[in-house]
Amino acid sequence: MIRHLESCANCREELAQVRAHRQQLISAVHNDDESVIDPMFAVKLKAALRAESVQGATSYSSFIRFAFAGGLALLVVGISALLLQERAPQLDVVVNPNGANVANSNNNDRSKRSASFELVRNDALDDHRNCALSHRLEERPIKLAEAAVRYDAVYRDLEQTVADALKSKFGNELTLLRAHYCLINGRAFAHMIVEHDKKIVSVLMTRGEADGNNETPAPTDCGNEGPLKVACFRAERFDVFVISELSSEANLSVAESIAEPVADHIRISGQSV
Amino acid sequence: MFGTVKQREERDWDSFESEAIPHIPDIYRIAYWLVRDRDEAQDLVQETFFQAMRSFHRYEIGTNCRAWLTKIMYNLNGKRIRKLSRFKLYEDVDETISETIAFEPPIETDIKDKEIVLALKRLPDSFRHVVLLADVEEFTYREVSEFLGIPAGTVMSRLHRGRQMLRMELTKKAQEFGIRKAG
């Protein structure tokens, strides 16, 4: 076939047309709004699967204990006792059945980060790398205004709030490049991309767990990941991350400048419950 | 030696999370084109991933997880259809179409994405599924054959005809918009 293609211009042209047609088709289908997944559905599905994974494993453990009991009574009793000791603390693990991002940490002290918060932090880092830096998201982001209509009024004019807060503190040193609502690893973020000192800064906001605490703790340094610095804070029901290759102090300073305005924005939008 | 139960659970979830979860958007897209309704597509995707999680021990890590998930989804959809349908599903009469499609015009580059999507939606089901799975989702003929439960040869012939029909639709659309003069 390859030899034929080398000698037949008509067939080469036909093949080129088929390939071009295919690319057009792929692009059209991937850009079709109807076939793009609802980010909130994806988030809830992932959380529900995680919850099922925990509950299902608990049942599985019970089955294993019963399965062994018939044949090796004494040994099973000993193993069961050990398994029960290990499992008992897990039964108190709280998994959010509503499908929001799972966070079971003490939200008043981000320095004692839970495994769940680490997952959120890692997703924020992935979003910074794959969206802000390399534009490699699998799903096309949507505008914050559209997210405000579809999901939560809190996203309306959020970028303006952030831009005004940054301008107030930094003047023209920071420039808001773009803002959108994007999906990474099944988690949705409101994502504002800022340029400062020729470096890209991401401000990422995602839903967290309600903890009844309406205060906004001061932003904290949430660690480095290679050259990337992470600052974070809780604003009402949302976790906010500021990620960049600025110095830790500068990165934290960006977070500090936006913390109160963002919290006020959320409260005013009526989504503080 | 085997780790605690909690450690095994975490590994199982970690594996599932890294292998299967990233394919949620793709599987949704395929589901939407299969059932043509967003709510139904969400139900189907949810059912697919829960089934996948229960069957994850049967999946070989590092192999084509997207194809594995798609197969589960098509099986579930097939069961749903069989359950709902009281009537025998006859093979699509489009199989007898059309040796008469002789002219294969090139696709106009000015045709917008929206028109391409509409043309794809207008294809008969049996052709649309094959074009979607093979051309858009880039599964192999063998994988498409397994999903749809039809021979690989039928996949190839439907794909060929589906592409022809798509081109005809888009040429008609181009003529309507005056992009191309009517022959």
Side-chain angles (χ1 to χ4, degrees):
Chain A
M1 186 182 81
I2 293 173
R3 275 200 294 274
H4 175 76
L5 282 173
E6 283 170 355
S7 60
C8 179
N10 285 342
C11 287
R12 282 201 304 275
E13 190 181 333
E14 169 74 19
L15 186 60
Q17 283 179 6
V18 169
R19 283 179 174 157
H21 174 206
R22 191 177 192 178
Q23 282 311 309
Q24 271 185 299
L25 192 58
I26 292 173
S27 168
V29 170
H30 281 239
N31 290 336
D32 177 40
D33 289 339
E34 289 294 307
S35 52
V36 171
I37 194 169
D38 178 345
M40 289 312 294
F41 166 73
V43 167
K44 288 179 181 177
L45 176 59
K46 185 179 170 184
L49 288 164
R50 180 70 174 111
E52 176 74 10
S53 166
V54 170
Q55 290 176 6
T58 303
S59 301
Y60 178 71
S61 299
S62 301
F63 172 76
I64 289 291
R65 288 198 292 274
F66 283 123
F68 273 106
L72 304 165
L74 284 178
L75 186 57
V76 165
V77 167
I79 290 173
S80 299
L82 284 171
L83 286 172
L84 280 170
Q85 275 189 329
E86 281 188 287
R87 284 301 298 158
Q90 307 309 319
L91 296 175
D92 294 331
V93 169
V94 175
V95 178
N96 182 2
N98 293 326
N101 302 325
V102 176
N104 58 2
S105 67
N106 177 351
N107 290 320
N108 290 325
D109 186 359
R110 285 293 181 203
S111 63
K112 294 180 186 172
R113 291 200 299 269
S114 65
S116 304
F117 181 77
E118 284 297 328
L119 286 174
V120 182
R121 177 182 170 276
N122 289 341
D123 286 344
L125 280 160
D126 277 349
D127 205 351
H128 176 75
R129 289 187 197 106
N130 290 307
C131 182
L133 298 183
S134 59
H135 314 289
R136 275 187 302 151
L137 286 187
E138 288 193 5
E139 290 300 315
R140 191 166 51 93
I142 62 173
K143 293 178 184 174
L144 288 176
E146 189 178 341
V149 170
R150 279 201 208 183
Y151 309 121
D152 194 327
V154 74
Y155 300 119
R156 187 170 294 111
D157 298 327
L158 178 64
E159 70 271 34
Q160 195 59 55
T161 297
V162 168
D164 290 344
L166 293 173
K167 192 175 174 64
S168 175
K169 179 159 181 183
F170 299 101
N172 292 327
E173 291 176 20
L174 273 84
T175 311
L176 180 70
L177 295 178
R178 58 185 184 274
H180 54 236
Y181 186 82
C182 54
L183 185 71
I184 187 88
N185 304 334
R187 188 184 305 277
F189 286 94
H191 190 181
M192 286 137 289
I193 300 167
V194 177
E195 186 182 4
H196 177 42
D197 193 22
K198 293 186 183 171
K199 290 193 169 36
I200 296 295
V201 182
S202 282
V203 176
L204 293 143
M205 186 168 98
T206 187
R207 275 194 178 272
E209 263 304 293
D211 58 5
N213 181 0
N214 289 335
E215 293 181 4
T216 301
T220 59
D221 188 335
C222 290
N224 302 343
E225 196 75 21
L228 295 176
K229 316 299 188 298
V230 184
C232 57
F233 60 92
R234 163 58 68 91
E236 303 292 320
R237 282 193 65 203
F238 292 86
D239 289 321
V240 184
F241 299 85
V242 175
I243 301 176
S244 73
E245 291 186 28
L246 299 171
S247 66
S248 295
E249 295 75 20
N251 193 65
L252 185 59
S253 178
V254 171
E256 287 166 346
S257 71
I258 65 171
E260 283 298 333
V262 166
D264 288 342
H265 176 99
I266 295 169
R267 277 191 284 270
I268 290 167
S269 75
Q271 296 299 315
S272 59
V273 176
Chain B
M1 179 179 167
F2 297 108
T4 62
V5 172
K6 180 178 184 297
Q7 286 169 342
R8 284 200 298 278
E9 289 159 19
E10 285 299 324
R11 278 202 297 273
D12 288 344
W13 170 254
D14 287 346
S15 298
F16 186 79
E17 189 180 23
S18 65
E19 289 279 331
I21 294 290
H23 296 297
I24 288 178
D26 280 359
I27 299 302
Y28 173 82
R29 185 175 56 247
I30 299 169
Y32 171 75
W33 280 93
L34 180 60
V35 299
R36 307 284 296 278
D37 179 89
R38 286 181 76 98
D39 290 335
E40 271 191 53
Q42 287 184 355
D43 288 345
L44 185 56
V45 167
Q46 186 165 299
E47 211 180 328
T48 298
F49 275 84
F50 274 96
Q51 177 63 49
M53 198 164 67
R54 287 190 287 270
S55 312
F56 196 58
H57 57 282
R58 292 191 207 140
Y59 165 71
E60 192 181 329
I61 305 278
T63 57
N64 190 340
C65 192
R66 195 170 75 113
W68 181 71
L69 291 165
T70 304
K71 182 142 193 232
I72 291 174
M73 186 177 68
Y74 268 86
N75 286 344
L76 286 171
N77 191 56
K79 282 180 191 167
R80 183 183 67 93
I81 289 173
R82 281 192 292 277
K83 205 170 161 182
L84 290 174
S85 173
R86 294 181 187 177
F87 305 100
K88 183 181 174 187
L89 292 174
Y90 288 95
E91 189 58 26
D92 195 323
V93 296
D94 295 315
E95 280 300 321
T96 60
I97 294 172
S98 166
E99 305 297 337
T100 62
I101 304 175
F103 175 59
E104 297 179 18
I107 300 298
E108 297 296 340
T109 53
D110 287 346
I111 296 285
K112 292 192 165 62
D113 284 353
K114 188 178 153 187
E115 300 306 329
I116 294 174
V117 165
L118 284 173
L120 184 61
K121 284 181 177 176
R122 280 195 288 268
L123 286 184
D125 282 357
S126 55
F127 296 96
R128 186 181 63 250
H129 290 166
V130 172
V131 169
L132 187 80
L133 291 170
D135 276 353
V136 178
E137 300 299 334
E138 300 183 279
F139 288 110
T140 64
Y141 293 149
R142 185 177 172 178
E143 285 166 343
V144 177
S145 159
E146 284 178 10
F147 299 154
L148 299 180
I150 55 177
T154 308
V155 171
M156 287 189 265
S157 67
R158 285 188 191 177
L159 181 61
H160 179 64
R161 288 178 189 161
R163 285 170 177 168
Q164 284 178 328
M165 293 164 76
L166 206 51
R167 282 176 163 182
M168 291 300 296
E169 279 284 334
L170 291 171
T171 299
K172 254 193 294 182
K173 196 50 68 176
Q175 287 168 356
E176 279 172 31
F177 285 131
I179 294 171
R180 198 179 143 86
K181 284 190 182 168

